[in-house]
Amino acid sequence: TVAMTALVLGATWGALRALGTGSRAWGALAGLLAGLSLHTYVAAWGAVAALALSGLWAAFRMPRLRPTVAVAFGTGLLAFLPIVPGYLEHRERVGGRTRDIGLWTRSRDVSIPIREGPAALPVALAHNASCYAGLFVGAGDPTPRHGLPGAPALPWAVGVAALVGGGAALRRCAREPAHALVAGVAVGGLLPGLLSRAEGMPNTVRAGVFVVVAFVWAAWALERLARR
């Protein structure tokens, strides 16, 4: 998981540099790190999908970046290819972890009021969303091996600053592609947690990329405040 988070964030950094400079070298680095992250933890797929969609959007809106995006996709594919023979040999295992712990599987958390029937899925999604929202107001990860038991995943000050920074970043997304890219990675990094079985939430390992982006938003908000 540590490798996944580091590789995805490195790919995001490379993508931001490529977006700002048009450099094919930065695009190649972004693609390489994104492709390598797919060899780590299954949660990487959400953030990498967000990076890929951002690349397609950039290629559509900014023709000058099309060669850079093509290089990024090419290096990403090359980095991913070594795992393809394993998928082809063991096709029954593709998506195995996702099938095991997907949102649609029955939760063992007895605190959830509805765990079966047509209403179970939206109730589970609402439960997960509320748990992850709690990260900003001092909620902790209930799994002891994911952090300090009983301690908040995001300290209160960091959570509030992350909300302020994230809100300001989202308002800039329409006119500043860099903010849109980071927001997309945050959403892609949160999806593996939101779409997991509703138990042991918030799971900061599955949403590790989102948690780190929250720290980035908090730092950005505090920096802006310090400049005033």
Side-chain angles (χ1 to χ4, degrees):
T1 303
V2 173
M4 173 201 74
T5 304
L7 288 168
V8 168
L9 293 175
T12 303
W13 174 59
L16 288 170
R17 295 289 294 171
L19 181 64
T21 65
S23 167
R24 298 181 189 182
W26 283 113
L29 177 65
L32 174 66
L33 296 179
L36 290 175
S37 74
L38 299 178
H39 293 265
T40 58
Y41 188 51
V42 66
W45 285 82
V48 171
L51 284 172
L53 290 173
S54 297
L56 292 174
W57 177 86
F60 177 74
R61 295 293 299 272
M62 293 173 275
R64 67 179 180 84
L65 291 178
R66 287 174 184 171
T68 302
V69 173
V71 169
F73 272 82
T75 56
L77 181 61
L78 288 174
F80 175 69
L81 279 178
I83 205 173
V84 172
Y87 280 132
L88 295 176
E89 184 177 354
H90 302 284
R91 297 178 185 178
E92 73 284 356
R93 299 182 186 178
V94 175
R97 185 60 175 161
T98 302
R99 293 196 301 268
D100 290 343
I101 61 168
L103 184 68
W104 50 88
T105 59
R106 188 177 187 275
S107 173
R108 294 170 293 185
D109 187 343
V110 295
S111 69
I112 297 176
I114 302 174
R115 293 184 291 158
E116 293 181 318
L121 194 63
V123 168
L125 182 60
H127 169 82
N128 288 353
S130 66
C131 287
Y132 281 106
L135 288 175
F136 296 101
V137 290
D141 190 323
T143 305
R145 68 177 181 272
H146 293 171
L148 297 175
L154 295 176
W156 277 85
V158 174
V160 172
L163 280 176
V164 173
L170 290 175
R171 287 196 299 272
R172 296 185 177 205
C173 284
R175 63 181 186 275
E176 297 185 30
H179 283 289
L181 189 150
V182 173
V185 170
V187 172
L190 179 60
L191 282 178
L194 280 178
L195 301 181
S196 295
R197 185 164 55 209
E199 59 186 44
M201 293 293 170
N203 188 308
T204 54
V205 169
R206 293 175 194 158
V209 171
F210 172 78
V211 172
V212 176
V213 172
F215 273 100
V216 171
W217 279 338
W220 182 60
L222 294 174
E223 181 192 27
R224 293 180 70 208
L225 180 63
R227 289 182 176 181
R228 293 186 176 181

